[in-house]
Amino acid sequence: IFNYEAPSEGGDEGGDEGGEEGGDEGEVSVLYTLDATDAANNGKDNSYAGSEDITINGITWNVTGNTTINPWRIGGKKLNAVDREVFTKTPYEKALTKIVVTLGTKNITLNSCKLLYSANADFSGATEVPFEYAEGAIELANSYPANCYYKLVFNCTETSGKNMYVQLSKIEFYGK
């Protein structure tokens, strides 16, 4: 498991140095799951360059990639540092303590991976959380405010002319 801890920012007034543990009200648990391994959540677009909206558990996601295969494949062919995105078109109403992104195998060059979150649907003023690719669960611990939009961005390069990809298995939102 790759763990990301958000750097402390000067404006954090909570003094909650201990992370998720402590005397706060309630336990941290999974509040929402996008499960891209469940065929019931498959889209209809099998192109890697196309994007489509898919609604899962009340949240609409826009996905650029092949959503007809489980897990979903994000990538394409003949790409030179091209961003492939998976983002919410519906804000998530609750504050979060971490987001866990589960990735599968990859056969594409990933130049960078990041999560963005913003109070704005166009992602203006977004905060960026970079992370490294790892097969399995990647924990992105942070203090995510309520009513935000979320976007995963995979910057991809592929020069062989064959569709290559990284598998996206799951995105989980954790909070109290």
Side-chain angles (χ1 to χ4, degrees):
I1 293 179
F2 174 84
N3 292 307
Y4 167 85
E5 282 292 329
S8 296
E9 295 182 15
D12 185 18
E13 315 248 333
D16 188 357
E17 306 292 354
E20 299 171 22
E21 299 175 20
D24 286 81
E25 307 160 15
E27 294 290 316
V28 172
S29 63
V30 177
L31 301 177
Y32 175 85
T33 301
L34 177 159
D35 185 354
T37 65
D38 182 348
N41 294 331
N42 280 4
K44 294 176 178 45
D45 190 349
N46 67 355
S47 74
Y48 288 77
S51 67
E52 69 177 313
D53 292 346
I54 299 173
T55 301
I56 299 171
N57 298 325
I59 295 182
T60 300
W61 294 82
N62 183 272
V63 182
T64 300
N66 186 336
T67 58
T68 64
I69 297 174
N70 302 105
W72 295 346
R73 293 180 175 185
I74 310 300
K77 60 185 173 184
K78 295 184 181 178
L79 306 173
N80 184 15
V82 173
D83 285 343
R84 293 295 197 222
E85 302 174 339
V86 177
F87 63 91
T88 60
K89 294 180 86 173
T90 309
Y92 190 70
E93 71 278 0
K94 296 182 182 177
L96 304 173
T97 57
K98 72 178 173 182
I99 294 175
V100 176
V101 177
T102 303
L103 301 176
T105 61
K106 73 173 181 72
N107 60 8
I108 195 166
T109 300
L110 290 178
N111 305 309
S112 65
C113 306
K114 61 187 172 186
L115 170 74
L116 295 133
Y117 63 96
S118 175
N120 304 307
D122 65 359
F123 289 91
S124 58
T127 300
E128 185 175 303
V129 179
F131 63 93
E132 296 292 323
Y133 164 81
E135 189 171 338
I138 302 165
E139 293 185 14
L140 305 172
N142 202 346
S143 179
Y144 300 98
N147 299 309
C148 277
Y149 296 86
Y150 294 92
K151 181 190 292 191
L152 282 176
V153 180
F154 300 97
N155 185 273
C156 305
T157 297
E158 192 294 313
T159 57
S160 75
K162 293 177 59 182
N163 278 324
M164 301 291 186
Y165 56 85
V166 59
Q167 293 176 325
L168 174 62
S169 298
K170 190 182 296 185
I171 301 172
E172 296 170 299
F173 291 172
Y174 285 77
K176 296 180 181 185

